[in-house]
Amino acid sequence: NPGILQQQQQQQQIPLDEELLEIYRQMDLPPTHAIPAHPLVAIADSLAMGDHAVRMCSPVLSGGAAASSIICLGVDFMSESVAAIMARNGCGHVPVYRAATRHIGCSLAESAEGRGYEAWLRKFGDASSSPPSSSDKKALHVVYINTSLETKATSASILPTITCTSSNVLQTILQASAQMGPDRLQICYGPDTYMGENLKSLLDAVLSHDESWTD
């Protein structure tokens, strides 16, 4: 909770980064550099994890010892994404296991699984399906990769949908704007409202300081 951390920082005069570090110390997490390097072990985000898994399943790319199965130590949508990326790259025959049989959820991913998020998308989807006019914009849903396959499939059935990660979301939005034209495109980004607000602030700041940028 950033508010609590800020309050503690003011009371104790502790730099915020040291406060966060102390929390991680109390959690007793091993440092990543303490994990020995191995061709069949990888630490990655949701997108890169799938790429690592594909490489591990290839005798050539993995250095000779191809994996016969993959286990994902993460939330449920990570193993879903890994399995989908592997299937798309010809590794669908390799089983993907989750870290536990119980549900391992994520509040951000689950926020896009409710009726409210679907209703929000349908509002733009209904507008896109109405008779076009010269002033109409086409809606494009840019969804954060940290969501379930069900969310991605449902979204794609309502609006054209592109999956992004934090490292390429800006490039994705700008490329779509360049291809469609900024006057014809309406970006619907979700479900990470924090990242969406940061993107809007960034683009607003650029546009307010550089009149040559019309996107």
Side-chain angles (χ1 to χ4, degrees), residues 17-29:
D17 57 337
E18 291 185 16
E19 183 74 17
L20 289 171
L21 183 59
E22 181 60 28
I23 291 176
Y24 279 105
R25 287 196 189 103
Q26 294 173 7
M27 292 173 66
D28 195 28
L29 294 173

Side-chain angles (χ1 to χ4, degrees), residues 46-100:
S46 304
L47 182 61
M49 189 179 291
D51 296 334
H52 281 297
V54 171
R55 187 176 69 249
M56 291 175 184
C57 294
S58 169
V60 177
L61 299 178
S62 65
S68 58
S69 61
I70 297 292
I71 180 168
C72 294
L73 305 181
V75 296
D76 291 345
F77 67 72
M78 288 185 174
S79 56
E80 287 183 351
S81 296
V82 167
I85 292 173
M86 289 173 59
R88 187 176 181 83
N89 287 273
C91 301
H93 61 286
V94 179
V96 178
Y97 298 102
R98 300 190 302 117

Side-chain angles (χ1 to χ4, degrees), residues 142 164 166 169-171 173 187 189 192-205:
V142 179
C164 74
S166 52
V169 59
L170 181 60
Q171 177 185 350
I173 291 175
I187 295 290
Y189 176 78
D192 190 340
T193 54
Y194 180 75
M195 185 182 295
E197 290 171 354
N198 284 343
L199 286 167
K200 186 178 183 303
S201 297
L202 171 64
L203 294 173
D204 285 344

